[in-house]
Amino acid sequence: MPWPHMQLSADPAAFPAHPPADLSDPAVIAAHDQAAFDAVETMVDHWDRPGWTAQTRAYYWMLTFPDSPAVEDLALRCQQHLAPLDMDPVPADGLHITLARVGSTSALPLSLLDDVISAATPLLPAASRLRAVPLAGSRGAVRLTVAPWGPVLALHAALSESMAASGLAPRKPTALFRPHLSLAYNNRPRPAAPVIKAVTPLRGLAPVDLDVRDVQLVELRREDRAYRWDVVKSLPLG
């Protein structure tokens, strides 16, 4: 189906800083992601994020893939190849696409969370199918490209609108959102060249499809250099 046109903006804090020339073509998006990663010189510690502790809990909108053996198999194959780099692999039940942070559990009463859910329900776009394409990365992770971006951007915009009704806003506006699916997190500063060298042959692996039928509001936490969550509410799309 055609998705509404989204005007994305360049921003040095986003990765890639510039959006791809075509938001629909998986080949164009993957090549753009890969070129951006290939230009990285130094990788940073993904976990070095001020404000996050073992006690931190926050609500996020995410896409999760608990019944997607094809992407789990692809992730495992890539992770096994990258094992000598000693990065932190994302467990099979931890694969996700982060959409938007709603707020900390300490700051959001359950009544406000219910309002966010109620506002989101009628705004959600239709279900869609994404393609997960190996393999690129960022300054802090190795990740799959996901494409097309249109349905994910439409979902992000809808969630942003639903949050605005409650006086909330995602940390990144839709114009700066860059959909991706991380497979391994970098856990220390290091030169990027060895990681890029290890990632490059994996770009020959076949992509896999992801059916996106619902979106999850989760309570997110960190455990042993991995993200874990409890699903608060799962909403069907379209």
Side-chain angles (χ1 to χ4, degrees):
M1 66 169 291
W3 297 95
H5 177 72
M6 298 285 174
Q7 185 66 43
L8 300 188
S9 302
D11 188 282
F15 195 92
H18 293 269
D22 188 324
L23 303 182
S24 299
D25 189 330
V28 171
I29 297 170
H32 182 77
D33 278 356
Q34 292 166 9
F37 184 50
D38 289 352
V40 172
E41 296 183 355
T42 303
M43 297 189 70
V44 301
D45 183 353
H46 173 84
W47 306 112
D48 184 16
R49 298 194 175 197
W52 268 98
T53 70
Q55 289 71 45
T56 300
R57 301 290 185 273
Y59 296 117
Y60 277 78
W61 287 110
M62 299 195 330
L63 297 175
T64 65
F65 306 99
D67 300 308
S68 301
V71 76
E72 292 177 9
D73 290 346
L74 176 60
L76 180 60
R77 187 170 178 182
C78 293
Q79 291 164 348
Q80 289 173 335
H81 180 84
L82 300 173
L85 295 172
D86 194 30
M87 304 178 86
D88 296 326
V90 178
D93 61 353
L95 296 169
H96 66 279
I97 297 174
T98 302
L99 294 169
R101 183 181 187 274
V102 181
S104 68
T105 57
S106 60
L108 291 183
L110 292 179
S111 59
L112 183 57
L113 206 59
D114 288 339
D115 291 342
V116 170
I117 293 168
S118 296
T121 302
L123 299 176
L124 295 177
S128 62
R129 174 168 287 183
L130 303 178
R131 179 160 295 176
V133 184
L135 192 63
S138 66
R139 289 178 287 268
V142 170
R143 61 201 204 184
L144 296 170
T145 292
V146 292
W149 279 13
V152 192
L153 295 172
L155 178 55
H156 187 280
L159 296 173
S160 298
E161 182 179 346
S162 71
M163 290 164 60
S166 297
L168 303 170
R171 287 182 170 174
K172 290 184 179 180
T174 303
L176 301 182
F177 182 52
R178 309 289 191 257
H180 62 273
L181 199 165
S182 293
L183 299 185
Y185 294 114
N186 189 53
N187 49 32
R188 62 187 183 275
R190 72 167 97 200
V195 181
I196 295 167
K197 182 178 180 181
V199 160
T200 300
L202 296 173
R203 293 171 179 169
L205 296 178
V208 300
D209 288 337
L210 294 170
D211 288 319
V212 179
R213 300 189 180 95
D214 43 34
V215 61
Q216 289 73 41
L217 178 66
V218 307
E219 182 181 312
L220 187 70
R221 64 188 183 276
R222 287 183 180 178
E223 288 182 3
D224 301 325
R225 296 193 300 190
Y227 291 110
R228 293 298 190 182
W229 59 81
D230 296 310
V231 175
V232 176
K233 188 71 173 180
S234 184
L235 298 179
L237 298 179

